[in-house]
Amino acid sequence: MKRINYLFLISLLLVSVLVYPQLNGRETVNEDQYDNLQIGYSKTTSIVFPYSIKSVDKGSADVLVQKAKGVENILLVKAAKQYFFQTNLTVVTTDARLYVFVLNYDDNCPDLNIKAENAVAASKDVLFSMENENQKKIEQLASLALSKKKKTSGMEKSKFQIRLEVNGIFIHQNVLYLRVVFENKSKINYDIDQLRFFIRDQRKSKRTASQEIEILPLYTTSSSTVIPYKSEVIKVYALEKFTIPENKYLTLQLIEKNGGRHLEVNINNNLTDKVFPIPEFNSSAY
């Protein structure tokens, strides 16, 4: 009997040794994946993400969340109810990352300013629908299109000592990248009010209305709206893929703020002959 009890104790000890590291490892994974945040009722917690916020889901109505006014990458969080039960917050950003936070109530010492880039994203495999292309990839490819050596010609307009030119059209999957040159040869700065993109009818009958379809850019490499005098500025505009039907053209309409130096460039339906593909992020073929 003593021998049986002794063997039983040894077996129990071995099972404990084998199980403990597995439990400990599982706890470590959870700690790495989910950040614990302390939020309060009378104070607001700000979470700063490296990219724009795509979607937000809170686990409980006892928590209030909203984007900070005027920005896309800061989320404001606070308790709607004192002493709420622990809940969670899920955020997806435009660089295709998923963040999960565990929220706890602490009105005395809440976390006030959190940088999400210091947290480990729960997932890096978020897939957006085609109409919501990955923002980070668009930014990278737009920068690549900006540096390409391939150029096209014949798509420009000069007037008032201002030149507007499309000197490169690139494509990757479902996004077109138009490289646009703004040149100001005058002695007065040119302030851009708008640069708009339209699909228009080539001819307008007096008895029929001209149809215009505006295309809104997904991204622009520069937000600057000033073309300094005696200078040249180059930008890339990312647009959702399109083709130009017969008897229509693409119009780039440049409008000066508080001025009259407006220009338009028209591109006809041979657009596909002018497009260069961008096969890879690290491509050096151009």
Side-chain angles (χ1 to χ4, degrees), residues 164-166 178-182 195 233-237 252:
L164 176 65
E165 178 186 12
V166 178
L178 274 65
R179 188 170 60 207
V180 181
V181 179
F182 305 85
L195 178 68
V233 174
I234 303 175
K235 301 183 182 184
V236 170
Y237 293 81
L252 278 70

Side-chain angles (χ1 to χ4, degrees), residues 153-207:
S153 59
M155 297 181 290
E156 67 176 285
K157 181 75 172 183
S158 296
K159 198 174 181 181
F160 313 112
Q161 295 186 301
I162 306 297
R163 181 170 65 93
L164 176 65
E165 178 186 12
V166 178
N167 78 346
I169 304 175
F170 306 90
I171 188 168
H172 183 85
Q173 295 181 356
N174 290 300
V175 180
L176 285 167
Y177 299 87
L178 274 65
R179 188 170 60 207
V180 181
V181 179
F182 305 85
E183 185 179 11
N184 182 1
K185 297 180 180 179
S186 74
K187 298 179 181 180
I188 303 174
N189 288 350
Y190 188 99
D191 297 306
I192 300 175
D193 183 33
Q194 298 179 67
L195 178 68
R196 304 174 72 187
F197 301 83
F198 296 95
I199 299 292
R200 286 177 167 175
D201 295 331
Q202 287 188 2
R203 295 179 181 177
K204 179 181 176 181
S205 171
K206 293 182 179 179
R207 295 184 179 181

Side-chain angles (χ1 to χ4, degrees), residues 7-283:
L7 292 173
F8 176 76
L9 289 172
I10 292 177
S11 299
L12 184 62
L13 179 62
L14 287 173
V15 170
S16 300
V17 170
L18 291 172
V19 170
Y20 176 76
Q22 294 179 4
L23 292 175
N24 189 47
R26 190 177 297 118
E27 289 173 358
T28 302
V29 170
N30 286 338
E31 289 174 358
D32 284 345
Q33 285 188 341
Y34 308 121
D35 266 27
N36 280 275
L37 293 185
Q38 318 302 317
I39 67 171
Y41 181 78
S42 58
K43 301 180 181 69
T44 300
T45 298
S46 301
I47 309 176
V48 182
F49 294 89
Y51 280 84
S52 298
I53 298 164
K54 193 74 175 177
S55 68
V56 178
D57 181 78
K58 57 182 182 178
S60 170
D62 296 336
V63 174
L64 300 174
V65 297
Q66 70 175 35
K67 288 184 185 178
K69 187 176 180 179
V71 295
E72 293 293 324
N73 68 320
I74 299 178
L75 193 67
L76 306 179
V77 186
K78 69 186 304 183
K81 174 184 175 182
Q82 291 180 315
Y83 308 106
F84 64 80
F85 289 108
Q86 185 185 75
T87 185
N88 71 302
L89 176 69
T90 303
V91 180
V92 176
T93 52
T94 55
D95 61 336
R97 292 187 178 235
L98 171 71
Y99 295 88
V100 178
F101 301 91
V102 176
L103 305 181
N104 303 283
Y105 183 79
D106 186 346
D107 203 44
N108 293 323
C109 191
D111 296 312
L112 296 180
N113 190 10
I114 299 298
K115 285 190 176 181
E117 61 186 6
N118 295 331
V120 177
S123 174
K124 301 177 183 178
D125 301 317
V126 178
L127 296 177
F128 296 139
S129 58
M130 293 310 296
E131 62 269 21
N132 293 318
E133 193 73 21
N134 185 324
Q135 183 73 14
K136 182 177 180 180
K137 184 168 70 173
I138 288 177
E139 292 179 16
Q140 292 174 325
L141 287 166
S143 296
L144 195 59
L146 190 65
S147 63
K148 292 301 182 186
K149 296 179 181 179
K150 283 282 189 179
K151 292 185 178 181
T152 55
S153 59
M155 297 181 290
E156 67 176 285
K157 181 75 172 183
S158 296
K159 198 174 181 181
F160 313 112
Q161 295 186 301
I162 306 297
R163 181 170 65 93
L164 176 65
E165 178 186 12
V166 178
N167 78 346
I169 304 175
F170 306 90
I171 188 168
H172 183 85
Q173 295 181 356
N174 290 300
V175 180
L176 285 167
Y177 299 87
L178 274 65
R179 188 170 60 207
V180 181
V181 179
F182 305 85
E183 185 179 11
N184 182 1
K185 297 180 180 179
S186 74
K187 298 179 181 180
I188 303 174
N189 288 350
Y190 188 99
D191 297 306
I192 300 175
D193 183 33
Q194 298 179 67
L195 178 68
R196 304 174 72 187
F197 301 83
F198 296 95
I199 299 292
R200 286 177 167 175
D201 295 331
Q202 287 188 2
R203 295 179 181 177
K204 179 181 176 181
S205 171
K206 293 182 179 179
R207 295 184 179 181
T208 59
S210 177
Q211 184 182 13
E212 291 185 345
I213 301 173
E214 184 169 4
I215 303 173
L216 300 177
L218 302 171
Y219 172 74
T220 308
T221 52
S222 171
S223 60
S224 173
T225 59
V226 179
I227 313 300
Y229 66 92
K230 302 294 183 181
S231 71
E232 180 181 276
V233 174
I234 303 175
K235 301 183 182 184
V236 170
Y237 293 81
L239 308 174
E240 188 174 352
K241 183 186 71 176
F242 62 89
T243 56
I244 303 174
E246 190 176 0
N247 297 324
K248 294 181 182 291
Y249 51 75
L250 172 68
T251 296
L252 278 70
Q253 183 184 73
L254 177 65
I255 300 175
E256 184 182 18
K257 184 177 181 180
N258 299 324
R261 296 179 292 177
H262 310 320
L263 282 80
E264 290 188 359
V265 170
N266 296 322
I267 303 173
N268 58 26
N269 61 359
N270 65 351
L271 174 71
T272 54
D273 298 331
K274 303 177 182 295
V275 173
F276 301 110
I278 305 179
E280 300 293 342
F281 281 76
N282 59 354
S283 173

